[in-house]
Amino acid sequence: MGVPLRDLLKDYRTVTGWEDLRGIAAVDAFNTLYQFLSIIRQPDGTPLVDGSGRVTSHLSGILFRNMNFIQKGIRPVYVYDGRPPEFKEGTIEERRVVRDTAREQWREALERGDIQEAAKHARASSRIDTGVIDTSKRLLRLMGIPYIEAPSEGEAQIAHMVMQGSAQYAVSQDYDTLLFGTPVLVRNMTISGKRKLHGRLITVSPEKILADRVFSGLSISRMDLIRIGILVGTDFNDGVPGIGPKLGLRAVREGRFDAIVSERMPDVDVPDILDFFEHPPVTDDYSLGWEEPDTDGIISMLCGEYAFSEERVRKVLGAEVTGTGQKTLSSWF
DNA sequence: CTTTACGA
DNA sequence: TCGTAAAGG
């Protein structure tokens, strides 16, 4: 989900080449995992699974994407969500119901033989459980890629790391990191550059959003963007019906935020949410280090436990080690 | 999503 | 070589 500010920010996206993305990337782990789990599926919605039925879609995504990142000189650090704030409980429960419903609709569509409908519901039924979290961390560790646990929202921690200069940019498909204060957000960090949209195959490239350009272009402050987010809806509150990005921007510019909040959002703890976006729980208690991928360990895990093809795994790992030096991980040190 | 296979 | 379809687990 994420805060629906796409229409407001669409003029501030700039296509970026991979060369500009060299450096440390603070990646929203949950956002990435959800993407992999929902998209890496067969036409009828069945995810990749091993012989025991354990889902492996996320492992495939992590392996191939990160080997590509490494090759391009990108050093990713994955940031996992910690404990969500109290006021997120409603959203969490809402999403659980949506997932469970989708799972049932997936089954029903399959019985009808409606493949397209089945795939749609399958995607919506995706859930990041502890198995997904644990196996993703294990694979990242074997790949020599660091990950950290955020005290609360991963997106807040990512924004903090970019603000501190510990990372060059935030990676997420959602815009929430901008509310949390990241100076730079990069979306569409995808290698293949292709995506199905309305049945058509379109080209997608990494796009960069610079917070300062957004603020100066719209003549608003970061706090104003947070206020607009609250009016249109965030992970922590429902938006006001009838107020989208356009009206939200106008309302905040005209100083009507407080009035709308008191009139239309009587049950929302707006001061706490504002404060959470402005001063979220974050930590500086981490250290980042990248190491050479443990080829044997990765093969042992993916091929030995999760039925990956050893030929494919060796190939993607070998391409990295075989380089002439410039593209290898060791060239970072 | 990313890789791989395959026909133009 | 390129573009599209299918596979991967």
Side-chain angles (χ1 to χ4, degrees):
Chain A
M1 327 310 141
V3 62
L5 291 176
R6 188 181 51 185
D7 289 348
L8 196 65
L9 301 170
K10 62 169 183 275
D11 295 336
Y12 301 96
R13 306 174 303 186
T14 56
V15 171
T16 310
W18 291 105
E19 319 78 48
D20 298 328
L21 297 172
R22 287 173 162 277
I24 299 177
V27 183
D28 181 347
F30 270 59
N31 189 267
T32 302
L33 289 172
Y34 185 81
Q35 211 104 330
F36 287 153
L37 289 175
S38 62
I39 292 168
I40 303 179
R41 290 171 181 270
Q42 295 183 330
D44 71 349
T46 308
L48 300 188
V49 290
D50 68 4
S52 315
R54 293 178 299 185
V55 174
T56 56
S57 296
H58 61 301
L59 299 177
S60 179
I62 288 169
L63 176 71
F64 289 115
R65 179 176 292 181
N66 284 305
M67 289 312 294
N68 275 293
F69 280 179
I70 290 170
Q71 234 164 8
K72 293 177 187 301
I74 295 164
R75 281 179 288 179
V77 48
Y78 282 77
V79 180
Y80 287 77
D81 283 353
R83 170 182 285 276
E86 303 261 335
F87 41 75
K88 197 180 182 181
E89 287 309 322
T91 300
I92 292 171
E93 174 61 14
E94 229 168 74
R95 289 179 183 173
R96 193 188 63 75
V97 172
V98 168
R99 277 199 311 269
D100 292 349
T101 306
R103 188 174 185 75
E104 182 58 23
Q105 289 173 318
W106 176 20
R107 195 186 59 74
E108 289 171 6
L110 273 183
E111 284 180 2
R112 292 196 307 273
D114 190 339
I115 301 298
Q116 286 211 328
E117 193 72 2
K120 189 181 83 179
H121 294 306
R123 285 194 296 274
S125 74
S126 304
R127 175 167 189 270
I128 302 173
D129 58 21
T130 54
V132 168
I133 293 169
D134 292 346
T135 50
S136 66
K137 287 177 177 174
R138 196 171 145 220
L139 180 55
L140 286 173
R141 183 174 292 283
L142 288 169
M143 295 183 74
I145 294 167
Y147 62 83
I148 71 179
E149 192 95 29
S152 184
E153 291 293 291
E155 293 180 299
Q157 178 67 26
I158 288 168
H160 176 71
M161 292 167 71
V162 182
M163 285 189 278
Q164 297 284 303
S166 304
Q168 270 69 70
Y169 54 91
V171 177
S172 178
Q173 287 302 98
D174 295 339
Y175 298 100
D176 305 48
T177 52
L178 290 168
L179 274 59
F180 283 119
T182 191
V184 189
L185 166 65
V186 178
R187 302 179 66 251
N188 300 339
M189 286 279 287
T190 156
I191 309 299
S192 65
K194 289 169 189 169
R195 190 171 297 167
K196 291 193 297 284
L197 193 63
H198 306 134
R200 297 224 184 299
L201 209 61
I202 61 160
T203 303
V204 289
S205 308
E207 62 183 36
K208 185 185 278 188
I209 297 175
L210 300 178
D212 281 342
R213 291 225 187 128
V214 172
F215 300 148
S216 62
L218 294 174
S219 301
I220 58 173
S221 64
R222 177 183 154 201
M223 279 308 291
D224 288 333
L225 190 66
I226 296 172
R227 293 187 182 99
I228 295 169
I230 288 174
L231 291 181
V232 303
T234 71
D235 283 353
F236 313 117
N237 71 279
D238 292 329
V240 177
I243 296 189
K246 204 168 177 176
L247 285 178
L249 173 65
R250 178 133 65 105
V252 168
R253 275 178 172 164
E254 295 172 355
R256 292 186 282 114
F257 177 75
D258 289 334
I260 293 173
V261 164
S262 57
E263 285 172 28
R264 309 285 303 275
M265 313 178 83
D267 301 325
V268 181
D269 189 353
V270 170
D272 270 12
I273 298 175
L274 279 169
D275 182 64
F276 187 79
F277 275 116
E278 197 180 9
H279 305 292
V282 291
T283 182
D284 289 309
D285 183 21
Y286 61 86
S287 64
L288 306 182
W290 289 264
E291 292 163 36
E292 293 282 356
D294 174 0
T295 302
D296 291 343
I298 293 169
I299 289 172
S300 172
M301 175 183 176
L302 296 183
C303 308
E305 298 175 42
Y306 293 100
F308 276 59
S309 152
E310 186 162 335
E311 188 186 349
R312 284 183 116 223
V313 175
R314 272 195 193 283
K315 185 173 178 186
V316 66
L317 295 174
E320 152 63 9
V321 181
T322 310
T324 50
Q326 198 157 28
K327 289 179 175 177
T328 64
L329 188 63
S330 53
S331 66
W332 294 340
F333 305 101

